[in-house]
Amino acid sequence: MHEYPITEHIIKIIEKHGKESRASRIESVTLVVGDRSGFIGDSVRMYFDIIAEGTLCEGAELIIKPVKSQFKCPACGTVFYRKPMSFACSDCGADGAPTDTGKEFYIESITVEQEVL
Ligand SMILES: [Zn+2]
């Protein structure tokens, strides 16, 4: 499961951000995961709770925003979502090519609980 190291990495980034903003804990994290990113959101979620133990992320809510791949037709330029088992353009039926939409994998936002000074 190659989501383990990437989840570790994500938590390190969040921890750094949390420390810099003097957070007492992380409330929630929003992660954008494209369906062609190579990572499975559910696996990240599974590892997140395990790795977060004892860090600022412990108990944080992990919100995963899935992004569906988009394809672009080379013949007519239509941008479309592919149907299962097919790459056919929804307009003219030519085979579409993948666009960058669906390759996303990034932290969109982090909500922290501030230390009471
Ligand atoms: Zn087309």
Side-chain angles (χ1 to χ4, degrees):
M1 283 297 203
H2 64 287
E3 279 83 4
Y4 191 93
I6 195 77
T7 308
E8 245 181 344
H9 186 65
I10 290 167
I11 288 179
K12 268 188 200 144
I13 294 170
I14 302 167
E15 280 264 291
K16 188 168 176 281
H17 173 85
K19 280 177 185 149
E20 277 167 10
S21 52
R22 303 181 59 81
S24 54
R25 64 175 214 95
I26 307 294
E27 266 177 25
S28 68
V29 180
T30 305
L31 191 67
V32 179
V33 183
D35 63 6
R36 273 188 311 120
S37 66
F39 298 108
I40 314 273
D42 281 348
S43 300
V44 173
R45 186 190 299 285
M46 189 178 84
Y47 292 127
F48 187 86
D49 289 340
I50 300 167
I51 302 168
E53 228 170 277
T55 75
L56 285 177
C57 297
E58 189 172 339
E61 186 190 1
L62 180 64
I63 300 154
I64 291 175
K65 274 198 190 170
V67 178
K68 262 185 92 173
S69 288
Q70 279 192 333
F71 290 74
K72 190 173 181 184
C73 175
C76 72
T78 299
V79 175
F80 62 95
Y81 295 107
R82 60 170 283 206
K83 294 195 175 69
M85 315 298 285
S86 161
F87 292 94
C89 168
S90 53
D91 251 21
C92 72
D95 272 353
T99 65
D100 282 342
T101 306
K103 287 200 280 195
E104 296 82 354
F105 190 81
Y106 61 88
I107 299 165
E108 188 183 68
S109 62
I110 302 170
T111 313
V112 302
E113 197 175 281
Q114 224 86 89
E115 244 172 68
V116 182
L117 297 174

